[in-house]
Amino acid sequence: MANICYTKYKVEGSVKEVEALRRALNKREGKKLTSYLRYCRLAPLTEASVKRFPNSGEVLSFETATKWGPELGEWTDIIRKWAPHAQIVYYAEEFWCGVHETNDIWGKYFPRTYAVHIRLSDKTPEKVRKVFTRDAEYRDREDQWGWFSYLSPAELGERIRAVLPGSRGCTWSLFDQFEARKKELLFETDTTIVIGSIRREEDPMIKNGPCWYCEERKKQLDEILSLYDELHRYERRFGPLPKEGWELPAYPRR
């Protein structure tokens, strides 16, 4: 498969829905999903793919490999079948098509502003090698091999200043200076550096469900309040309970 778009998903929801989705993806349940996954790659999802939230709910993390773009419409339909109330957060990346996008407008899972890809050779200048591989991840897979890092504006600016002494200005200015002098810096070194600005917006194709966490909290709060009401009815009838050895927590507020 050429021109692969790798997309990371974070699906937040109730334990019931997230586990149902994980099982369905692993078993390739459903005719549409089975047919779709013939060309869309998805690794098996183990228990390590799921993180439990402290109070309730889980988040399922997985990555897909699709043609050219993230194919959000298809994946939204697939996720919604088993997790209709989940929140879907994604980051899609295909450097050669200029795709660097996320709907994580809060920066909860994908907070960085720039994606950087570098392919090295024996001729790569040492200062470039050292600066752009620091804190980077090496990948070796179809249509994506080399060093990859995700940087804030300050981090990117610091790296550009390190390889272009005398460069000044804000991050956008430094980026323009780097692009203008990149050929000069990497002349005949067989080195590739691609810097992508991550587009961050609410994608209209991702229709997130109602806040499952808020609904769960409301449900638990209602249960606590009903217990308080039962306790007050008991005390009105039989008198206050002895408070020796225990203390009633503060009456909850909505």
Side-chain angles (χ1 to χ4, degrees):
M1 188 193 303
N3 290 100
I4 298 175
C5 180
Y6 290 96
T7 305
K8 297 181 184 296
Y9 285 93
K10 303 287 185 179
V11 182
E12 296 181 348
S14 66
V15 174
K16 181 180 179 180
E17 290 192 4
V18 170
E19 289 301 324
L21 175 62
R22 184 171 74 91
R23 288 193 300 270
L25 293 178
N26 279 338
K27 294 180 180 180
R28 295 342 194 219
E29 291 183 2
K31 184 176 180 180
K32 179 178 181 179
L33 177 60
T34 301
S35 175
Y36 183 66
L37 289 181
R38 287 176 183 172
Y39 76 90
C40 173
R41 299 174 188 170
L42 177 69
L45 303 178
T46 65
E47 292 184 0
S49 304
V50 179
K51 179 181 178 181
R52 179 69 63 89
F53 289 119
N55 296 324
S56 63
E58 293 179 338
V59 55
L60 175 65
S61 302
F62 62 92
E63 184 180 60
T64 63
T66 53
K67 298 177 181 178
W68 303 100
E71 302 191 13
L72 298 175
E74 294 286 351
W75 273 103
T76 300
D77 291 342
I78 291 170
I79 293 170
R80 281 282 166 261
K81 182 174 180 179
W82 286 279
H85 302 96
Q87 304 292 319
I88 305 172
V89 184
Y90 77 92
Y91 168 67
E93 178 177 274
E94 210 294 270
F95 273 86
W96 314 120
C97 291
V99 176
H100 311 89
E101 64 181 59
T102 180
N103 67 334
D104 187 4
I105 58 175
W106 321 273
K108 182 177 182 179
Y109 295 108
F110 309 106
R112 295 297 185 258
T113 306
Y114 295 96
V116 181
H117 173 215
I118 178 169
R119 290 182 178 176
L120 304 173
S121 74
D122 294 338
K123 300 177 183 179
T124 302
E126 184 58 29
K127 62 181 178 180
V128 173
R129 179 191 304 272
K130 183 177 180 180
V131 165
F132 283 102
T133 59
R134 184 181 18 160
D135 301 323
E137 173 191 357
Y138 183 77
R139 299 175 189 162
D140 186 8
R141 55 187 180 179
E142 186 179 352
D143 204 36
Q144 196 179 71
W145 62 269
W147 294 89
F148 294 80
S149 57
Y150 302 90
L151 308 175
S152 68
E155 291 169 333
L156 177 62
E158 181 268 332
R159 282 162 170 74
I160 292 175
R161 283 190 290 268
V163 298
L164 294 180
S167 54
R168 298 174 178 273
C170 64
T171 302
W172 276 110
S173 176
L174 290 168
F175 176 81
D176 290 339
Q177 294 172 56
F178 178 78
E179 289 297 313
R181 297 177 57 187
K182 187 164 63 174
K183 290 184 178 180
E184 169 193 338
L185 179 68
L186 304 175
F187 182 65
E188 292 187 350
T189 64
D190 297 324
T191 304
T192 299
I193 300 180
V194 181
I195 302 175
S197 177
I198 298 174
R199 183 166 57 90
R200 197 177 300 273
E201 64 179 4
E202 290 188 83
D203 194 294
M205 297 185 70
I206 297 292
K207 300 297 184 182
N208 286 327
C211 180
W212 61 269
Y213 179 83
C214 296
E215 291 186 343
E216 182 66 22
R217 184 177 182 278
K218 180 180 181 301
K219 178 182 176 182
Q220 294 177 358
L221 192 59
D222 288 342
E223 291 177 355
I224 293 173
L225 291 173
S226 67
L227 292 174
Y228 266 93
D229 291 340
E230 187 175 339
L231 173 62
H232 291 160
R233 286 195 298 271
Y234 179 92
E235 289 186 326
R236 284 197 300 270
R237 182 174 180 181
F238 300 104
L241 292 172
K243 293 182 173 51
E244 297 178 0
W246 66 281
E247 183 177 352
L248 194 66
Y251 190 81
R253 295 183 178 181
R254 291 187 180 276

